[in-house]
Amino acid sequence: MRYFLQKINKDTFVLQSLITLFLRVFGVVVLFGFTLFLTNNYDPKIIGQYDFVRSFLFVVGSICLLGCDQSILYFKGRLNGLNLASGLKNTYKKMVLLLFSMAVILFLIVLVVNKEWINSYFSDPELYSILLKSTGILFFYSITVLNTEVFRALEHLYVAELFRNTIKYIPIMIGAILLLFYGKESYLAEVFLLGFIVLAVVTTAIIFYYFSKMEGNFKQESFSLKEITLKSYPIALSGMAMFLLLSFDIIFLKKYRDDATVAYYSVAIKIMTMLTMVILTVNITISAKISEYFAANNTLELNRIIRKSARLIFILTLPSALFIVFFSEYLLRFFGENYLIAKETLLILIVGQGLCSIFGSASVYLNMTGRQTVFQQILIVAVIINFVLNRMLVPKYGMNGAAIAFVCSSFFWNFISAIVIYRKDKVKVFLN
């Protein structure tokens, strides 16, 4: 055991991945604790409304971000290769300008949408109002997400993980407790949205503190606004596609079932995040390195880190998947007896995500090696598959239909991405 620990301590990649994973696990524990609080104190209908707003904000937010939250790591990798890391400051400022412009445009679009049509389609007279509020705070949400990735680009990985997985829940947690105390539970979605204003202010203050400690000629060492846009927007489309894959099921469940069903399904999705957390943790750790090695044409190191990441993902995912499968009923009962209805749905999601884990870092490889457009095209097809399957299966099979649609589309884009990478670069991103 001592030899094993010493070996891990000497391997920076594995050590960093494990610490990041620990912080993510802590974040998941916080999220689960908060979810337990909600399911045991709030009506499932209110929780369902809250989850629907979250899904909407994530999708529209991915449009507003324009891929900047991911491309900032790509540009960091390029700057590192040129020894111009200080240029990140000016790149960040240009990205903030892009985000503000997109937030204004999206708010105006929602403002002119027919209110009655939205409310009648979902049979919810209050839906348009909350969607308008969501787009109203879009800039603050986008800044929060961007700042979290800038922390990572500035090598403050653990600060990034704390904000991404733990601190971001603090405003809504405090708000939910206060709402329950004052008997105003129906405002849960609004409090969730307002929390991003607080998070945006706090993260921006920290970002400028970090920048103040850096040295360099910021005016000369940066990318043009055009280059930032051209490199970022394919990633934005990919990001939006990913969120649509996670949102069509919620949208169709709200349309054909009810808010309570959305709440039950969302709990199953949250439990599944135990697996996605592992994949994301490893991918985020290696993303900038992939860009750096690829730009330097360092094939040896590129293959080594890809192979390592695939094995680490599988080793960490398998025990988690088995644990959830064997204790699925026990886990769901924590949230309340009525949440046991989602047991079959949870098992479908876990088995599907376990299969997807064998494809390692396919998505991050394409995004970090200039193949954003290729990945975007693959995801567009996956989104179409997801939409069609949800439309066909949800009206008849409810949550199970939504889970099947999610698993099929996720397996499709992972499998196709791995095949494309192997044919183009002879790099095996899947487990081998």
Side-chain angles (χ1 to χ4, degrees), residues 110-131:
V110 174
L111 194 62
V112 299
V113 171
N114 187 283
K115 174 182 177 180
E116 285 71 24
W117 181 83
I118 292 291
N119 291 341
S120 62
Y121 182 80
F122 289 98
S123 302
D124 187 344
E126 299 178 357
L127 185 61
Y128 177 81
S129 175
I130 193 65
L131 295 185

Side-chain angles (χ1 to χ4, degrees), residues 3-287:
Y3 170 77
F4 180 70
L5 292 175
Q6 288 177 340
K7 189 175 180 181
I8 289 177
N9 191 50
K10 292 179 180 179
D11 193 321
T12 305
F13 168 70
V14 174
L15 181 63
Q16 193 176 83
S17 295
L18 290 176
I19 294 176
T20 304
L21 180 60
F22 171 78
L23 292 175
R24 290 207 161 201
V25 169
F26 180 71
V28 168
V29 171
V30 172
L31 175 61
F32 270 45
F34 176 57
T35 304
L36 284 170
F37 169 79
L38 288 181
T39 57
N40 285 281
N41 293 282
Y42 279 71
D43 188 285
K45 181 179 179 181
I46 295 175
I47 299 174
Q49 291 172 342
Y50 157 70
D51 284 320
F52 182 82
V53 169
R54 286 179 69 249
S55 295
F56 174 79
L57 186 63
F58 292 162
V59 172
V60 181
S62 66
I63 301 173
C64 183
L65 279 161
L66 206 64
C68 291
D69 57 321
Q70 294 300 310
S71 67
I72 193 71
L73 298 174
Y74 167 78
F75 289 120
K76 170 64 188 311
R78 284 183 56 184
L79 287 166
N80 272 355
L82 298 170
N83 294 318
L84 299 174
S86 59
L88 203 64
K89 181 178 182 179
N90 206 32
T91 303
Y92 169 75
K93 289 181 178 179
K94 291 176 182 179
M95 286 183 170
V96 171
L97 177 62
L98 281 175
L99 264 56
F100 180 75
S101 301
M102 288 300 299
V104 172
I105 292 171
L106 290 169
F107 179 76
L108 293 175
I109 290 174
V110 174
L111 194 62
V112 299
V113 171
N114 187 283
K115 174 182 177 180
E116 285 71 24
W117 181 83
I118 292 291
N119 291 341
S120 62
Y121 182 80
F122 289 98
S123 302
D124 187 344
E126 299 178 357
L127 185 61
Y128 177 81
S129 175
I130 193 65
L131 295 185
L132 187 62
K133 293 173 184 176
S134 299
T135 51
I137 62 94
L138 202 51
F139 175 69
F140 300 100
Y141 165 79
S142 301
I143 285 295
T144 301
V145 176
L146 176 63
N147 288 345
T148 301
E149 296 308 315
V150 174
F151 291 149
R152 194 177 310 283
L154 293 174
E155 306 296 338
H156 297 285
L157 302 180
Y158 306 139
V159 175
E161 286 305 319
L162 283 172
F163 271 97
R164 174 193 286 271
N165 300 297
T166 305
I167 298 176
K168 74 175 183 180
Y169 298 121
I170 292 178
I172 180 62
M173 289 169 65
I174 294 174
I177 293 171
L178 292 175
L179 288 177
L180 186 65
F181 181 79
Y182 289 105
K184 302 289 184 179
E185 294 90 340
S186 60
Y187 290 99
L188 182 64
E190 284 84 353
V191 168
F192 165 70
L193 296 173
L194 290 173
F196 285 107
I197 298 177
V198 177
L199 291 169
V201 171
V202 172
T203 54
T204 300
I206 298 174
I207 287 292
F208 277 96
Y209 170 76
Y210 287 148
F211 279 143
S212 70
K213 301 296 182 181
M214 295 176 65
E215 297 179 357
N217 189 333
F218 300 122
K219 291 185 178 179
Q220 294 180 4
E221 299 169 4
S222 77
F223 301 93
S224 67
L225 192 60
K226 180 181 178 181
E227 187 174 4
I228 292 172
T229 305
L230 290 177
K231 284 295 182 182
S232 298
Y233 88 85
I235 300 179
L237 293 176
S238 300
M240 183 177 67
M242 290 295 289
F243 281 120
L244 285 173
L245 289 173
L246 294 168
S247 300
F248 278 143
D249 42 15
I250 298 293
I251 293 171
F252 280 107
L253 285 172
K254 182 174 177 62
K255 164 70 176 173
Y256 292 104
R257 295 305 166 103
D258 51 36
D259 286 321
T261 303
V262 171
Y264 303 146
Y265 181 79
S266 295
V267 164
I269 289 290
K270 286 183 176 69
I271 295 176
M272 185 193 71
T273 57
M274 291 179 65
L275 299 188
T276 58
M277 171 189 63
V278 173
I279 300 173
L280 287 172
T281 298
V282 177
N283 284 345
I284 286 172
T285 303
I286 68 170
S287 56

